[in-house]
């Protein structure tokens, strides 16, 4: 069922992987902490889904993670399991449909965790439409017991994909700068967590100032970031699997804002030299360096288009920061932002159809999106201060840092409608988030409409 069909049909729809070589963070999201999602602007009610506790090891906890993922998306309202009439659902049988429609469930999800002789678990599940009395999807994952949270995210992805027609985004991670201490003695550490804020891990020790972490979309285990020391600024490559850190070398000037091309072969970044800031590209295979801009203004925050043919960046060459697009060799530079205010931090959507940005206007900061030619600008979120948008891997959500007056920076997300705004799961102070691609590609053999009782698309 595609998203537009779901909207028409439902009518009420709104819009573990451990890292043993790193230092475990001390401010994880609290298990059981309620997820607060703001749904405003008169949005109609999300789809009510019943996620029953799974049978077997970690089954109840696994179902809880699925509920949290779906709730944060804004498209689903998981029902309280205390109100379920039917219990003890098994994969061998379909649910008692009238008992679920009686409590308003528009979809029913249940499953089981079955141990295998090799020590792994089979996690199977089914999703039903109790009103049409048919199966929407069934699937099974196999993983180690320790990976139960990861499997829960993958199940949420399957449900999201089946019900909206869009690929999911839950089986992903976020890298950001965790902050602690005071303004006079602030500690910044490169940190990674699951997209819901769980399993946070510090990747650096706080002896450097960390800026602009970014994932390689070609390899979710590869990241880049800037580290500032007492007398240096360096761009590092960091492999999350091996823990290997490699400097890109010493540059004549201060470096900032690195970002991978989508094929992972190049990094675009800025160098501040002689009072001027320009954009450069380094080929990671040959280490050949190319200068793309030479304007007297500040040119920074480059972001490649998904096909690698273009780069969006911001520049104050006309007196105020605006967004520009150029070909990846530096030619064809042209402005695209058209409104008033100051535009910074552009990020090209992984779908290739939009550019996210930060905008300062009227003493407040906003997170917005526009088409790649600058048309169709829309503001998604506005507050006292926010910056640094990063796209979810499905291109339907944006994560950014937001700060209230006198408060600390926190990670937030907003959907493309601007109606579903929520604080990201990480409980501590954080800024400069970057969302990873999906850790695995979406399953290609999901049983949509394959069994005799399957719901028609």
């Amino acid at each position: 069922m595609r998203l537009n069909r779901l909207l028409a049909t439902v009518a009420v729809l709104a819009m573990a992987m451990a890292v043993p070589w790193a230092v475990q963070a001390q401010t994880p999201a609290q298990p059981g902490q309620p997820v607060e999602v703001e749904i405003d602007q008169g949005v109609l009610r999300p789809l009510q889904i019943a996620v029953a506790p799974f049978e077997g090891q970690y089954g109840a906890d696994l179902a809880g993670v699925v509920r949290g993922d779906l709730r944060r998306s804004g498209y689903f309202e998981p029902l309280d399991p205390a109100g379920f009439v039917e219990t003890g659902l098994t994969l061998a049988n379909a649910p008692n449909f009238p008992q679920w429609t009686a409590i308003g469930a528009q979809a029913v999800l249940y499953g089981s965790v079955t141990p295998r002789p090799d020590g792994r678990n089979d996690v199977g599940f089914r999703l039903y439409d109790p009103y049409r009395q048919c199966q929407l999807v069934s699937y099974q994952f196999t993983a180690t017991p320790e990976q139960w949270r990861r499997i829960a995210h993958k199940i949420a992805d399957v449900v999201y994909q089946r019900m909206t027609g869009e690929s999911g985004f839950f089986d992903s991670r976020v890298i950001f700068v965790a902050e602690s201490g005071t303004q006079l003695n602030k500690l910044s550490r490169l940190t990674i967590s699951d997209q819901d804020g769980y399993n946070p891990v510090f990747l650096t020790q706080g002896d450097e100032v960390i800026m602009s972490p970014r994932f390689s979309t070609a390899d979710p285990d590869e990241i880049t970031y800037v580290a500032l020391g007492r007398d240096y600024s360096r761009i590092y490559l960091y492999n999350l699997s091996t823990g290997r850190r490699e400097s890109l070398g010493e540059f004549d000037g201060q470096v900032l804002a690195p970002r991978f091309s989508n094929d992972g072969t190049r990094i675009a970044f800025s160098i501040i030299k002689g009072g001027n800031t320009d954009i450069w590209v380094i080929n990671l295979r040959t280490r050949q360096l190319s200068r793309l801009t030479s304007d007297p203004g500040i040119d920074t925050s480059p972001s490649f288009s998904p096909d690698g043919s273009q780069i969006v960046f911001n520049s104050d060459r006309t007196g105020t920061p605006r967004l520009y697009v150029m070909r990846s060799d530096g030619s064809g530079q042209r402005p695209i932002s058209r409104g008033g205010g100051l535009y910074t931090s552009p990020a090209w959507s992984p779908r290739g159809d939009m550019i996210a940005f930060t905008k300062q206007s009227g003493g407040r900061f906003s997170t917005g999106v526009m088409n790649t030619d600058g048309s169709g600008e829309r503001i998604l979120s506005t507050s006292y201060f926010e910056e640094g948008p990063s796209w979810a891997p499905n291109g339907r959500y944006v994560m950014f840092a937001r700060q209230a007056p006198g408060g600390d920076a926190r990670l937030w997300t907003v959907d493309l409608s601007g109606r579903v705004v929520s604080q990201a799961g990480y409980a501590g102070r954080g800024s400069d988030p970057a969302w990873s691609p999906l850790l695995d590609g979406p399953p290609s053999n999901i049983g949509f409409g394959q069994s005799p009782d399957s719901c028609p698309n």
Side-chain angles (χ1 to χ4, degrees):
M1 183 185 301
R2 291 300 177 200
L3 179 56
N4 57 355
R5 181 170 181 176
L6 180 63
L7 288 167
T9 302
V10 178
V12 294
L13 179 61
M15 305 250 12
M17 186 177 293
V19 187
W21 38 261
V23 180
Q24 195 69 27
Q26 299 175 355
T27 54
Q30 298 301 311
Q33 188 176 22
V35 178
E36 296 185 3
V37 181
E38 301 173 13
I39 304 179
D40 58 11
Q41 300 182 22
V43 174
L44 300 177
R45 194 176 184 184
L47 184 143
Q48 293 185 304
I49 184 170
V51 183
F54 283 34
E55 294 183 304
Q57 185 183 25
Y58 299 117
D61 293 333
L62 187 152
V65 172
V66 174
R67 288 188 207 102
D69 282 348
L70 296 178
R71 180 180 293 111
R72 277 191 306 277
S73 77
Y75 286 98
F76 300 88
E77 181 185 340
L79 299 175
D80 185 350
F84 294 174
V85 177
E86 183 179 21
T87 58
L89 290 166
T90 67
L91 293 178
N93 299 295
N96 185 321
F97 297 120
Q99 292 190 3
W100 294 100
T101 57
I103 63 172
Q106 296 164 298
V108 181
L109 175 70
Y110 61 95
S112 66
V113 182
T114 306
R116 295 165 55 109
D118 62 5
R120 296 182 297 166
N121 287 333
D122 288 331
V123 184
F125 64 94
R126 296 182 184 274
L127 179 69
Y128 278 89
D129 181 333
Y131 286 91
R132 292 192 288 169
Q133 299 190 5
C134 54
Q135 179 179 285
L136 290 161
V137 64
S138 64
Y139 199 72
Q140 177 176 292
F141 292 103
T142 300
T144 64
E146 295 76 21
Q147 292 179 305
W148 68 269
R149 287 190 60 86
R150 173 111 190 262
I151 294 302
H153 294 317
K154 295 178 80 66
I155 292 172
D157 279 336
V158 172
V159 174
Y160 182 92
Q161 179 181 344
R162 181 63 176 98
M163 300 306 291
T164 70
E166 301 282 354
S167 62
F169 61 94
F170 304 113
D171 183 30
S172 59
R173 294 184 287 181
V174 176
I175 196 164
F176 57 96
V177 179
E179 301 173 350
S180 59
T182 65
Q183 289 294 329
L184 296 178
N185 188 24
K186 182 182 291 187
L187 196 66
S188 69
R189 287 179 280 193
L190 184 65
T191 307
I192 191 169
S193 73
D194 296 347
Q195 56 78 26
D196 60 353
Y198 280 74
N199 300 322
V201 174
F202 293 142
L203 305 176
T204 60
Q205 305 301 313
D207 52 347
E208 298 172 309
V209 175
I210 304 300
M211 301 171 59
S212 305
R214 295 292 183 268
F215 279 97
S216 167
T217 56
D219 181 359
D221 278 336
E222 196 76 20
I223 62 172
T224 185
Y225 66 94
V226 170
L228 303 181
R230 289 182 178 273
D231 56 357
Y232 64 86
S233 67
R234 294 178 185 146
I235 296 175
Y236 284 105
L237 298 178
Y238 192 113
N239 188 280
L240 295 169
S241 293
T242 65
R244 182 175 182 267
R245 186 172 89 156
E246 174 190 1
S247 171
L248 286 186
E250 299 298 326
F251 299 96
D252 185 13
Q254 181 176 325
V255 294
L256 68 157
R259 192 176 294 241
F260 286 98
S261 60
N262 272 32
D263 62 4
T265 63
R266 295 168 290 167
I267 287 181
F269 62 101
S270 292
I271 299 179
I272 304 174
K273 177 182 177 182
N276 193 33
T277 305
D278 283 305
I279 294 173
W280 298 68
V281 167
I282 187 170
N283 185 307
L284 295 179
R285 295 170 180 165
T286 65
R287 297 304 167 98
Q288 180 180 353
L289 191 63
S290 302
R291 183 176 181 174
L292 301 187
T293 67
S294 57
D295 192 271
I298 298 174
D299 299 333
T300 188
S301 301
S303 176
F304 282 95
S305 62
D307 64 4
S309 66
Q310 299 181 82
I311 294 175
V312 62
F313 63 102
N314 75 264
S315 173
D316 68 350
R317 60 184 62 181
T318 61
T320 58
R322 301 175 66 188
L323 300 189
Y324 289 74
V325 167
M326 61 182 168
R327 287 186 281 272
S328 59
D329 62 1
S331 64
Q333 299 177 25
R334 65 192 187 281
I336 60 169
S337 56
R338 303 170 182 175
L342 313 180
Y343 293 83
T344 57
S345 306
W348 212 300
S349 165
R351 299 164 69 103
D353 58 342
M354 290 185 178
I355 292 169
F357 56 87
T358 299
K359 183 176 182 178
Q360 182 182 359
S361 180
R364 292 172 67 81
F365 289 77
S366 301
T367 298
V369 294
M370 64 175 64
N371 297 327
T372 58
D373 63 358
S375 65
E377 178 178 322
R378 289 185 289 125
I379 297 300
L380 306 180
S381 170
T382 299
S383 63
Y384 171 75
F385 180 80
E386 49 192 65
E387 66 174 353
S390 176
W391 291 92
N394 69 352
R396 311 312 295 175
Y397 297 80
V398 175
M399 184 175 289
F400 57 97
R402 173 188 279 187
Q403 186 173 354
D408 296 319
R410 306 283 177 173
L411 305 184
W412 285 72
T413 60
V414 61
D415 78 326
L416 280 185
S417 74
R419 294 164 173 163
V420 182
V421 187
S422 64
Q423 186 172 332
Y426 180 68
R429 294 156 53 186
S431 62
D432 216 347
W435 218 321
S436 81
L438 287 176
L439 300 183
D440 293 324
S444 59
N445 57 338
I446 295 176
F448 288 173
Q450 293 179 353
S451 63
D453 61 343
S454 295
C455 294
N457 288 327

